[in-house]
Amino acid sequence: MKENVGVFDRIVRLIAGLVILTLGFVFKSWWGLVGLVPLMTAFMGCCALYTVFGFSTCRLKGKT
């Protein structure tokens, strides 16, 4: 899959995923597993919804 998640977006997703997982653990809720979605998109660098809507937060390669 083509990378469509920029650096700042990855950092936000990483933090959000960790916060959601932590809250799920603290409150003993299975909903905390939802935090895996932003974590996976942060690590893979590709978001399926961005692909569907043709959106990207990556910088264009070759642009100065």
Side-chain angles (χ1 to χ4, degrees), residues 3 5 13 48 58:
E3 187 174 297
V5 179
R13 288 168 185 263
C58 282

Side-chain angles (χ1 to χ4, degrees), residues 4-52:
N4 60 6
V5 179
V7 176
F8 180 73
D9 199 1
R10 282 184 174 197
I11 293 169
V12 170
R13 288 168 185 263
L14 182 68
I15 292 169
L18 290 174
V19 167
I20 294 169
L21 280 173
T22 302
L23 289 173
F25 180 74
V26 168
F27 292 110
K28 296 176 179 64
S29 171
W30 287 101
W31 283 103
L33 293 177
V34 171
L36 292 175
V37 174
L39 282 177
M40 293 303 296
T41 57
F43 287 121
M44 292 185 335
C46 183
C47 176
L49 285 177
Y50 280 10
T51 303
V52 169

